[in-house]
Amino acid sequence: MPNGTAPPGTMTVADQLDIIIDDIDNTISGKYPFTLRDLLENPDDYSDIPEVGKEIDKLKKDIESYFENKKAEAAEQLNKYKEDALKATRLADKLEMVVKEKANSQKKPYVTPLFFVRKEDEDEVLFVDNYDASFDQLIDELAKRSMFVVNASMPIESYKVGRWVFVGENKNRAIYVFFPLNPVGLFDVAKDQITLALDGIKLDLESGAAEEEK
């Protein structure tokens, strides 16, 4: 499923997680009998390391420190994120009024469902980060050609991600407001994913070692 807040080509969370893993490996280089990446991708290669569980616990502490430092360094980026997120929210509020007005003028239903399931890969999506008068005509034309209009906007923290889908008989067309990624939120997601993976690897390796000792 495509990223609903950023245009195609924008670096995904998975891409950024990949970069973070490499950065952690650079930070801990030579400290452990494994790299984080290799441990995550080939854990069975380290089943013979004595007390591998303790090594993983030490690694987790280093990873915790890594993310604490990164979050402290991201203060300026966080301020920029808040500015951009507020700008995106204001744009979403503006577009919501325009889209609703155009849908009403074209006598097309404007709905805000709890969920909206569709094949997003087949939609034609326009990503926007500003508004000018030309959008009035565009939105009016989209509403005119649609059967109904779906407000698929969603909240993120105290902000709003603006998304509207103009549902047609053969093709859906959508307008998405570009919304920035929270740099600190990304660190939290990355830390949780890496820690969870390491906990699972530790459990598997220690269980395997216990079985061999029987």
Side-chain angles (χ1 to χ4, degrees):
M1 180 179 293
N3 186 335
T5 63
T10 301
M11 187 176 291
T12 65
V13 173
D15 292 333
Q16 295 182 68
L17 178 59
D18 204 49
I19 292 172
I20 287 172
I21 290 172
D22 286 339
D23 194 35
I24 291 174
D25 275 334
N26 287 333
T27 303
I28 64 170
S29 179
K31 189 173 182 179
Y32 296 96
F34 42 66
T35 64
L36 172 59
R37 179 173 297 283
D38 204 37
L39 181 61
L40 292 172
E41 295 179 354
N42 305 291
D44 291 341
D45 290 351
Y46 302 100
S47 59
D48 294 334
I49 294 178
E51 298 186 323
V52 65
K54 291 183 178 180
E55 292 294 316
I56 292 175
D57 285 338
K58 292 177 185 177
L59 173 60
K60 286 171 58 181
K61 290 181 180 179
D62 281 341
I63 290 173
E64 179 76 25
S65 297
Y66 168 87
F67 282 110
E68 287 178 359
N69 292 335
K70 285 297 181 182
K71 289 172 74 171
E73 294 170 1
E76 184 175 339
Q77 296 176 30
L78 182 59
N79 289 334
K80 180 67 166 58
Y81 159 76
K82 290 179 179 178
E83 292 175 4
D84 291 344
L86 182 58
K87 177 184 175 184
T89 298
R90 289 171 176 166
L91 177 57
D93 289 338
K94 170 64 177 176
L95 283 172
E96 183 172 359
M97 290 189 295
V98 174
V99 172
K100 186 180 294 186
E101 176 188 335
K102 297 301 182 182
N104 289 337
S105 68
Q106 293 292 342
K107 295 182 171 53
K108 300 298 175 68
Y110 179 91
V111 297
T112 305
L114 182 60
F115 294 107
F116 181 45
V117 180
R118 68 192 197 280
K119 296 180 179 179
E120 292 187 66
D121 290 340
E122 298 178 5
D123 290 355
E124 293 180 353
V125 181
L126 176 67
F127 290 87
V128 300
D129 63 358
N130 61 74
Y131 178 86
D132 60 51
S134 63
F135 279 96
D136 281 11
Q137 183 177 354
L138 170 65
I139 294 171
D140 190 56
E141 189 65 25
L142 289 173
K144 180 180 179 180
R145 297 188 180 195
S146 67
M147 296 185 296
F148 59 94
V149 181
V150 176
N151 175 16
S153 301
M154 59 184 180
I156 290 184
E157 301 164 15
S158 59
Y159 306 107
K160 180 195 291 185
V161 179
R163 306 197 305 184
W164 299 270
V165 183
F166 300 82
V167 179
E169 292 185 9
N170 301 311
K171 174 73 71 174
N172 294 341
R173 294 175 172 85
I175 295 177
Y176 286 6
V177 174
F178 173 78
F179 195 88
L181 286 174
N182 183 338
V184 173
L186 172 64
F187 290 142
D188 288 337
V189 170
K191 184 182 73 172
D192 289 345
Q193 290 189 6
I194 292 172
T195 300
L196 183 63
L198 289 177
D199 285 342
I201 290 169
K202 176 187 173 184
L203 180 62
D204 288 344
L205 291 178
E206 289 183 334
S207 297
E211 286 295 324
E212 290 181 1
E213 291 176 0
K214 290 182 180 180

